Amino acid sequence: MTTPWNLSDRAVKRRRVLDILDAAGRDSLLLTTNTALTWYLDGSRMHISLAGDPVAAMLVDRDGDHLVTFNNEAARIAAEELPDGVDLHTVPWHGQLHSAAATLAPDGRPLAEADVAAELRTARQPFLPGESARYARLCADAAAAMTDVLSGTTPETTEFAVASALAARIVAMGAEPLVLLCNGAGRTGFRHPLPTHAPIGRRAMAVVCARRNGLVANVTRWVRFDAGTPGELEAEARIAAVEADIFDATIPGARLDGIFAEIQEAYLRHGFGADQWTLHHQGGPAGYAGRDPRATPGTDDAVVLNQTFTWNPSGPGVKIEDTVQLTESGISVLSVDPRWPAAVVNGIRRPLTLEL
């Protein structure tokens, strides 16, 4: 089995957490969420149910890292998920993970993850070399799955058939399908269309959020079986222009609330109306959560170099979404499949609707 973690990256992450402890004047921190655990462990899987809580908790103190898990999970975690340098402790399968981990703290009162949620988010923002490479591979794999599945559709293909084919591809590439959406021509008014048994008809959208080694790739693609109406073609170009403006605003030092203000103005500038941003979330930083966090008028996190994002502007019957990274050269799109049709928008290749 190939382990995901990178020892150099893990050392940097530990230093970042110790800096949080220094700033708080504390000696230990208890990590309990899937986002924090998979980030700190550099890709280890800490879940069983996709809908459930992690089956482990991590106590980070100045002496080392202590992972606590249930006795029925310990052998597998030790063999397949435990990075070097992490001590493993167990509790009975019916025990209390968090309280057991807290007792390992020098004073029995570790700093709670929730108390430094913003600081941990800041620590996750600048991606390190190993995780950047893993994320790029995952995003490219997710984009390729979209191409393979949507290239094989017909107007008679059902939304559930699209979703199930995507699920099979995502699992086969060693990932977990966290979100699978599909709307056919009769359901384009829904921004989060859970699939149904309806045939997709002349036009459809598919959305995938795929997680591997803790990282989540987010991709949206469209397919249609004719040349598209003039209104559709115009709306697709305008939503791509909105996204281009968002990319231009995503620069080191910018704050999410400032980018959000640019999003609101971009909808107006490109003819979508002042209320469009209220009808769906607009995305934000990505990585070890689908959005980390969602950008809103009230989120003021600062953008940093090597941070990753998924912006997803949408309008009536249109949406555009890819996972990208902010590099020294600007926005680099990670979820790319060269087989998918694309057009250059403001210097960046962006997906078109696949016409079959």
Side-chain angles (χ1 to χ4, degrees), residues 57-140:
M58 169 70 79
L59 191 283
V60 182
D61 64 23
R62 298 188 183 279
D63 294 326
D65 298 330
H66 310 276
L67 188 72
V68 180
T69 189
F70 298 112
N71 66 308
N72 59 319
E73 306 293 347
R76 179 188 58 81
I77 286 178
E80 300 178 345
E81 308 291 346
L82 193 69
D84 294 339
V86 177
D87 295 329
L88 185 63
H89 308 258
T90 65
V91 297
W93 60 264
H94 53 85
Q96 300 298 316
L97 280 178
H98 299 178
S99 59
T103 64
L104 300 175
D107 61 359
R109 296 172 47 253
L111 188 64
E113 180 183 326
D115 293 335
V116 286
E119 292 86 347
L120 284 168
R121 205 163 60 233
T122 297
R124 290 192 294 269
Q125 287 175 343
F127 265 49
L128 296 161
E131 60 192 349
S132 291
R134 289 199 307 274
Y135 206 17
R137 289 192 296 270
L138 167 64
C139 292

Side-chain angles (χ1 to χ4, degrees), residues 254-286:
R255 295 194 174 272
L256 293 184
D257 51 3
I259 297 175
F260 201 90
E262 175 60 30
I263 292 171
Q264 294 170 303
E265 293 174 7
Y267 278 119
L268 281 172
R269 191 158 47 241
H270 299 291
F272 282 102
D275 67 337
Q276 200 56 234
W277 68 271
T278 69
L279 303 178
H280 188 45
H281 81 85
Q282 303 302 305

Side-chain angles (χ1 to χ4, degrees), residues 340-352:
W340 192 272
V344 176
V345 180
N346 199 20
I348 301 175
R349 286 178 61 83
R350 303 303 300 122
L352 297 171

Side-chain angles (χ1 to χ4, degrees), residues 26-282:
R26 301 289 291 275
D27 291 320
S28 61
L29 170 65
L30 182 60
L31 302 178
T32 56
T33 68
N34 193 72
T35 297
L37 287 165
T38 54
W39 167 74
Y40 188 69
L41 291 168
D42 208 38
S44 298
R45 298 173 297 177
M46 291 292 113
H47 69 279
I48 297 300
S49 167
L50 292 178
D53 294 330
V55 294
M58 169 70 79
L59 191 283
V60 182
D61 64 23
R62 298 188 183 279
D63 294 326
D65 298 330
H66 310 276
L67 188 72
V68 180
T69 189
F70 298 112
N71 66 308
N72 59 319
E73 306 293 347
R76 179 188 58 81
I77 286 178
E80 300 178 345
E81 308 291 346
L82 193 69
D84 294 339
V86 177
D87 295 329
L88 185 63
H89 308 258
T90 65
V91 297
W93 60 264
H94 53 85
Q96 300 298 316
L97 280 178
H98 299 178
S99 59
T103 64
L104 300 175
D107 61 359
R109 296 172 47 253
L111 188 64
E113 180 183 326
D115 293 335
V116 286
E119 292 86 347
L120 284 168
R121 205 163 60 233
T122 297
R124 290 192 294 269
Q125 287 175 343
F127 265 49
L128 296 161
E131 60 192 349
S132 291
R134 289 199 307 274
Y135 206 17
R137 289 192 296 270
L138 167 64
C139 292
D141 287 348
M146 280 286 209
T147 302
D148 290 342
V149 169
L150 294 181
S151 294
T153 58
T154 70
E156 290 73 36
T157 304
T158 67
E159 295 168 349
F160 269 131
V162 171
S164 62
L166 285 169
R169 285 299 308 269
I170 296 303
V171 173
M173 70 190 209
E176 299 135 10
L178 301 185
V179 176
L180 292 169
L181 305 178
C182 184
N183 62 11
R187 302 176 66 237
T188 57
F190 302 129
R191 306 290 171 105
H192 274 161
L194 294 175
T196 72
H197 289 292
I200 60 176
R202 58 169 290 270
R203 181 172 181 258
M205 177 186 76
V207 179
V208 162
C209 300
R211 184 175 67 189
R212 187 169 67 196
N213 302 137
L215 293 163
V216 183
N218 311 290
V219 185
T220 293
R221 294 291 184 264
W222 290 82
V223 62
R224 65 171 161 245
F225 302 94
D226 56 28
T229 68
E232 288 169 355
L233 299 176
E234 181 199 29
E236 289 167 0
R238 288 189 290 118
I239 204 65
V242 172
E243 184 196 53
D245 290 350
I246 302 172
F247 285 165
D248 281 347
T250 307
I251 58 175
R255 295 194 174 272
L256 293 184
D257 51 3
I259 297 175
F260 201 90
E262 175 60 30
I263 292 171
Q264 294 170 303
E265 293 174 7
Y267 278 119
L268 281 172
R269 191 158 47 241
H270 299 291
F272 282 102
D275 67 337
Q276 200 56 234
W277 68 271
T278 69
L279 303 178
H280 188 45
H281 81 85
Q282 303 302 305

